[in-house]
Amino acid sequence: MSATVIDTVPGRQYQAHARPAWRRILLTREMAIIAILVLVVVVSLATVRNFDSPLTVTYLLRDIAPILLIALPMTLIIITEEIDLSVASIVGLSSVMTGILTQAGLPFPVAAVLAILVGTVAGAFNGFLVTVVGLPSLAVTIGTLALFRGIAVGLLGTTAITDFPEEWTDLAKANIPGTPIPAIMIPFVVLAIVFAVLLHFTPFGRSLYAIGLNKEAAQFSGIDVGRTKFLLFVMSGAVSGFAGVYFTLLYSNARGDNAMGMELQVIAAVLLGGVSIFGGRGALHGVIAGVLLIGTLGSALRLAGVTSDIINVITGVLLILSVVSASLLAWVHRRRSAAIGKRRGRRAAASGPTQ
């Protein structure tokens, strides 16, 4: 009589769907962020002067539009346990290229497409270093953050290009007719639907969660981990390039230091929205709620006369609390699972060997 021993490698995985569907949908971090967002809006409407003004909605959505756009591919990247810190520098580089090409006499649509292409190439460069060369994405994108920003500043120096076709700058600042909602929300909603379908309703999206949970297991199951991550960095570069074009038109300004520090706002919103920094968990509706929460809170506090430094402190505290709460919940779940396993083991031992 021989015994077969199966060696298993423990990996992180989702909890079994043993809870009722309504609990799995409503009792989540994402829904908690949405609830906090609603609470902040209600309190701000009741206590902050001019918060209910249509102009407040317009300026709020205009300001956070680049963050909303970049957060879409960033969500997918972090779910695979990678990160892209170069997105703001790609925005700046794309902005500079938009200005230089427009100043050189190219039609604006051509200049915009070429600027987005530059962002796509920058993303592909990140992807190549991470997936082909095998370098950690944190180190790679810290390096390219400085590289792309240096190129952008080097191309224009301390000068700025402010002469852009009026019909395009007006379009970037326009609202959807009859509403205070900026027109940029139309391409954002289209992209959000595309990314949501891709992440939550396709085999490609399921492969992203699998990679984030256990890269080796995903590789053995037939997922091309390298190609998948490469595509994500290309997407990130392309969307950041598009955000750079919009940023340039919105402020009628192409400078090498445009969007400085925006990468931290994007990552803060993604993590606040429920995406695990360790990969394998997250949802786009939570991320969008996270961006809106940070933007709404900042807008309300500015209207209330709070300084930018205090707003940054509050945002940082929110981010720390979101990460700590996620780790605490994971620790509680591990302790509970271990306790359940011990109880089952004792019951099995008490019942004696089975034939």
Side-chain angles (χ1 to χ4, degrees):
M1 184 176 180
S2 61
T4 302
V5 178
I6 301 176
D7 184 17
T8 60
V9 179
R12 293 179 296 118
Q13 58 185 347
Y14 287 118
Q15 299 180 34
H17 285 192
R19 298 182 300 166
W22 68 270
R23 292 186 62 187
R24 297 200 306 269
I25 295 172
L26 297 179
L27 300 184
T28 62
R29 281 172 54 85
E30 291 80 13
M31 293 306 296
I33 294 300
I34 293 173
I36 295 172
L37 171 62
V38 172
L39 179 63
V40 168
V41 170
V42 171
V43 171
S44 299
L45 286 171
T47 60
V48 179
R49 186 179 179 184
N50 295 325
F51 185 81
D52 58 349
S53 166
L55 281 177
T56 299
V57 176
T58 299
Y59 286 117
L60 167 63
L61 293 178
R62 279 184 190 173
D63 289 343
I64 66 172
I67 300 173
L68 282 168
L69 289 166
I70 299 170
L72 297 175
M74 184 69 78
T75 299
L76 275 59
I77 288 175
I78 295 180
I79 284 175
T80 62
E81 208 179 358
E82 301 291 351
I83 199 165
D84 186 354
L85 294 173
S86 69
V87 287
S89 296
I90 295 176
V91 170
L93 180 59
S94 172
S95 175
V96 166
M97 294 305 302
T98 301
I100 289 175
L101 294 172
T102 302
Q103 192 177 57
L106 287 178
F108 184 80
V110 176
V113 169
L114 291 176
I116 294 171
L117 182 60
V118 168
T120 306
V121 171
F125 181 65
N126 283 336
F128 173 80
L129 293 178
V130 171
T131 63
V132 177
V133 180
L135 300 176
S137 59
L138 179 63
V140 166
T141 57
I142 285 176
T144 54
L145 176 153
L147 172 64
F148 299 149
R149 184 67 70 183
I151 294 172
V153 173
L155 287 172
L156 280 185
T158 58
T159 62
I161 297 173
T162 58
D163 186 18
F164 295 98
E166 188 174 339
E167 63 270 22
W168 287 98
T169 56
D170 288 346
L171 179 61
K173 299 170 185 175
N175 290 348
I176 297 173
T179 74
I181 300 174
I184 187 63
M185 288 297 106
I186 296 175
F188 164 71
V189 169
V190 171
L191 283 174
I193 292 172
V194 170
F195 275 90
V197 170
L198 189 66
L199 177 62
H200 298 296
F201 302 102
T202 67
F204 180 81
R206 289 191 290 274
S207 72
L208 302 184
Y209 289 105
I211 292 170
L213 289 168
N214 192 318
K215 181 175 67 175
E216 290 75 17
Q219 189 81 54
F220 282 121
S221 68
I223 297 172
D224 191 330
V225 175
R227 183 179 66 179
T228 300
K229 290 185 178 181
F230 180 81
L231 288 174
L232 296 183
F233 280 102
V234 171
M235 290 180 191
S236 179
V239 174
S240 298
F242 175 69
V245 174
Y246 168 72
F247 194 99
T248 304
L249 292 176
L250 180 63
Y251 299 105
S252 300
N253 193 320
R255 291 175 53 95
D257 60 354
N258 276 353
M260 186 82 75
M262 186 181 287
E263 66 280 343
L264 299 181
Q265 294 174 284
V266 173
I267 293 170
V270 171
L271 298 183
L272 182 62
V275 178
S276 172
I277 191 64
F278 303 108
R281 190 192 186 286
L284 273 179
H285 63 280
V287 170
I288 294 171
V291 178
L292 290 172
L293 175 58
I294 290 176
T296 302
L297 188 60
S299 178
L301 291 173
R302 279 191 294 272
L303 288 172
V306 178
T307 64
S308 297
D309 291 337
I310 300 299
I311 294 173
N312 290 335
V313 170
I314 293 172
T315 302
V317 170
L318 280 175
L319 177 59
I320 292 171
L321 288 177
S322 67
V323 174
V324 169
S325 64
S327 299
L328 181 61
L329 288 173
W331 177 79
V332 170
H333 172 65
R334 286 195 300 269
R335 291 290 300 269
R336 184 181 300 171
S337 299
I340 292 172
K342 288 179 180 178
R343 285 198 298 269
R344 288 175 178 173
R346 286 195 295 267
R347 284 198 297 267
S351 63
T354 58
Q355 297 298 325

